[in-house]
Short mmCIF file of all heavy atoms in Angstrom, two decimals:
data_model
loop_
_atom_site.label_atom_id
_atom_site.label_comp_id
_atom_site.label_asym_id
_atom_site.label_seq_id
_atom_site.Cartn_x
_atom_site.Cartn_y
_atom_site.Cartn_z
N LEU A 16 -28.70 -11.80 9.32
CA LEU A 16 -27.76 -12.69 10.03
C LEU A 16 -28.60 -13.81 10.68
O LEU A 16 -28.91 -13.69 11.89
CB LEU A 16 -26.87 -11.91 10.98
CG LEU A 16 -25.86 -12.67 11.82
CD1 LEU A 16 -25.09 -13.66 11.01
CD2 LEU A 16 -24.96 -11.67 12.64
N GLY A 17 -28.97 -14.82 9.86
CA GLY A 17 -29.70 -15.92 10.45
C GLY A 17 -28.87 -16.76 11.27
O GLY A 17 -27.68 -16.98 10.94
N GLU A 18 -29.50 -17.30 12.39
CA GLU A 18 -28.63 -18.03 13.35
C GLU A 18 -29.54 -18.91 14.28
O GLU A 18 -30.72 -18.79 14.23
CB GLU A 18 -27.92 -16.94 14.30
CG GLU A 18 -26.50 -16.67 13.88
CD GLU A 18 -25.64 -17.80 14.21
OE1 GLU A 18 -25.94 -18.74 14.71
OE2 GLU A 18 -24.37 -17.61 13.82
N GLY A 19 -28.85 -19.69 15.07
CA GLY A 19 -29.44 -20.30 16.23
C GLY A 19 -30.71 -21.23 16.02
O GLY A 19 -31.66 -20.99 16.81
N ILE A 34 -30.03 -12.13 14.20
CA ILE A 34 -29.32 -11.47 15.31
C ILE A 34 -29.42 -9.95 15.24
O ILE A 34 -29.81 -9.30 16.15
CB ILE A 34 -27.82 -11.89 15.36
CG1 ILE A 34 -27.66 -13.34 15.76
CG2 ILE A 34 -27.00 -10.96 16.30
CD1 ILE A 34 -26.23 -13.89 15.87
N GLY A 59 -28.79 -13.09 20.45
CA GLY A 59 -27.82 -13.99 20.15
C GLY A 59 -28.38 -15.38 19.98
O GLY A 59 -27.97 -16.12 18.95
N ARG A 101 -22.20 -7.84 22.68
CA ARG A 101 -23.54 -8.43 22.49
C ARG A 101 -23.43 -9.92 22.69
O ARG A 101 -22.36 -10.49 22.55
CB ARG A 101 -24.17 -8.06 21.09
CG ARG A 101 -23.44 -8.82 20.02
CD ARG A 101 -24.38 -8.82 18.73
NE ARG A 101 -23.76 -9.23 17.54
CZ ARG A 101 -23.62 -10.50 17.15
NH1 ARG A 101 -24.04 -11.51 17.94
NH2 ARG A 101 -23.05 -10.80 15.88
N ASN A 103 -23.91 -13.74 21.56
CA ASN A 103 -23.87 -14.48 20.23
C ASN A 103 -24.59 -15.90 20.53
O ASN A 103 -25.52 -15.96 21.23
CB ASN A 103 -22.50 -14.55 19.77
CG ASN A 103 -22.44 -14.82 18.26
OD1 ASN A 103 -23.25 -14.24 17.51
ND2 ASN A 103 -21.53 -15.70 17.81
N ASP A 104 -23.92 -16.92 20.05
CA ASP A 104 -24.56 -18.21 20.15
C ASP A 104 -24.79 -18.75 21.51
O ASP A 104 -24.14 -18.29 22.43
CB ASP A 104 -23.65 -19.24 19.44
CG ASP A 104 -24.38 -20.40 18.80
OD1 ASP A 104 -25.46 -20.71 19.17
OD2 ASP A 104 -23.84 -20.99 17.84
N GLY A 105 -25.89 -19.52 21.67
CA GLY A 105 -26.06 -20.15 23.03
C GLY A 105 -26.99 -21.45 22.79
O GLY A 105 -27.49 -21.78 21.81
N MET A 118 -19.59 -11.33 22.49
CA MET A 118 -18.51 -10.90 21.61
C MET A 118 -18.58 -9.44 21.47
O MET A 118 -19.59 -8.85 21.80
CB MET A 118 -18.67 -11.58 20.18
CG MET A 118 -19.99 -11.29 19.52
SD MET A 118 -20.15 -11.94 17.91
CE MET A 118 -19.32 -10.70 16.92
N CYS A 147 -15.25 -14.66 19.77
CA CYS A 147 -16.55 -14.79 19.14
C CYS A 147 -17.16 -16.10 19.54
O CYS A 147 -16.97 -17.14 18.95
CB CYS A 147 -16.34 -14.60 17.58
SG CYS A 147 -17.90 -14.67 16.77
N SER A 148 -17.83 -16.04 20.70
CA SER A 148 -18.40 -17.31 21.27
C SER A 148 -19.40 -17.91 20.31
O SER A 148 -20.39 -17.22 19.96
CB SER A 148 -19.02 -16.97 22.59
OG SER A 148 -19.42 -18.14 23.22
N ASN A 149 -19.27 -19.16 19.96
CA ASN A 149 -20.14 -19.80 18.97
C ASN A 149 -20.59 -21.14 19.41
O ASN A 149 -21.08 -21.37 20.54
CB ASN A 149 -19.50 -19.71 17.57
CG ASN A 149 -20.16 -18.61 16.80
OD1 ASN A 149 -21.40 -18.44 16.75
ND2 ASN A 149 -19.38 -17.80 16.11
N GLY A 150 -20.41 -22.14 18.49
CA GLY A 150 -21.07 -23.45 18.53
C GLY A 150 -20.74 -24.20 19.91
O GLY A 150 -19.69 -24.11 20.49
N THR A 165 -14.87 -18.77 17.40
CA THR A 165 -14.65 -18.82 15.96
C THR A 165 -13.23 -18.43 15.43
O THR A 165 -12.64 -19.20 14.53
CB THR A 165 -15.78 -18.01 15.30
OG1 THR A 165 -16.94 -18.68 15.36
CG2 THR A 165 -15.54 -17.74 13.73
N PRO A 198 -15.24 -22.01 11.62
CA PRO A 198 -16.30 -22.76 12.26
C PRO A 198 -17.23 -21.79 13.09
O PRO A 198 -16.84 -20.87 13.77
CB PRO A 198 -15.49 -23.60 13.27
CG PRO A 198 -14.22 -22.82 13.57
CD PRO A 198 -13.96 -22.09 12.22
N ASP A 199 -18.60 -21.99 12.88
CA ASP A 199 -19.53 -21.19 13.55
C ASP A 199 -20.43 -22.01 14.47
O ASP A 199 -20.03 -22.54 15.41
CB ASP A 199 -20.30 -20.48 12.47
CG ASP A 199 -21.03 -19.19 12.94
OD1 ASP A 199 -21.53 -19.29 14.03
OD2 ASP A 199 -21.27 -18.26 12.21
N GLY A 200 -21.70 -22.13 14.13
CA GLY A 200 -22.63 -22.96 14.99
C GLY A 200 -22.30 -24.42 14.81
O GLY A 200 -21.74 -24.89 13.84
N MET A 201 -22.75 -25.29 15.89
CA MET A 201 -22.54 -26.68 15.82
C MET A 201 -23.67 -27.48 16.42
O MET A 201 -24.32 -26.96 17.39
CB MET A 201 -21.22 -26.82 16.61
CG MET A 201 -20.76 -28.28 16.86
SD MET A 201 -19.11 -28.41 17.52
CE MET A 201 -19.17 -27.43 18.95
N ALA A 212 -21.23 -25.59 11.07
CA ALA A 212 -21.56 -24.66 10.04
C ALA A 212 -20.31 -23.86 9.71
O ALA A 212 -19.60 -23.44 10.62
CB ALA A 212 -22.59 -23.76 10.48
N TRP A 214 -18.63 -20.84 8.15
CA TRP A 214 -18.84 -19.38 7.73
C TRP A 214 -17.78 -19.11 6.70
O TRP A 214 -16.63 -19.28 6.80
CB TRP A 214 -18.66 -18.48 8.96
CG TRP A 214 -18.89 -17.07 8.74
CD1 TRP A 214 -17.92 -16.11 8.56
CD2 TRP A 214 -20.08 -16.37 8.83
NE1 TRP A 214 -18.49 -14.83 8.47
CE2 TRP A 214 -19.84 -14.98 8.59
CE3 TRP A 214 -21.40 -16.71 9.04
CZ2 TRP A 214 -20.77 -13.91 8.59
CZ3 TRP A 214 -22.38 -15.72 9.07
CH2 TRP A 214 -22.07 -14.28 8.88
N ILE A 240 -22.56 -19.68 6.16
CA ILE A 240 -23.36 -20.68 6.78
C ILE A 240 -23.08 -20.52 8.31
O ILE A 240 -21.98 -20.58 8.77
CB ILE A 240 -23.08 -22.13 6.24
CG1 ILE A 240 -23.25 -22.24 4.77
CG2 ILE A 240 -23.84 -23.14 7.07
CD1 ILE A 240 -24.76 -21.80 4.35
N SER A 241 -24.06 -20.31 9.05
CA SER A 241 -23.90 -19.87 10.44
C SER A 241 -24.22 -20.91 11.45
O SER A 241 -23.58 -20.89 12.50
CB SER A 241 -24.81 -18.73 10.69
OG SER A 241 -26.16 -18.82 10.38
N SER A 242 -25.17 -21.71 11.26
CA SER A 242 -25.42 -22.79 12.41
C SER A 242 -26.36 -23.81 11.81
O SER A 242 -26.87 -23.75 10.69
CB SER A 242 -26.21 -22.09 13.51
OG SER A 242 -26.23 -22.96 14.64
N THR A 256 -28.94 -22.46 9.08
CA THR A 256 -29.11 -20.92 8.95
C THR A 256 -28.03 -20.38 8.14
O THR A 256 -26.87 -20.94 8.07
CB THR A 256 -29.21 -20.34 10.31
OG1 THR A 256 -28.05 -20.66 11.01
CG2 THR A 256 -30.53 -20.65 10.99
CA1 CA B 1 -22.84 -18.01 15.22
#
Side-chain angles (χ1 to χ4, degrees):
L16 178 49
E18 265 286 0
I34 292 181
R101 69 161 170 86
N103 200 42
D104 209 335
M118 60 177 277
C147 182
S148 187
N149 256 315
T165 290
D199 197 326
M201 172 166 61
W214 183 264
I240 300 303
S241 53
S242 192
T256 53

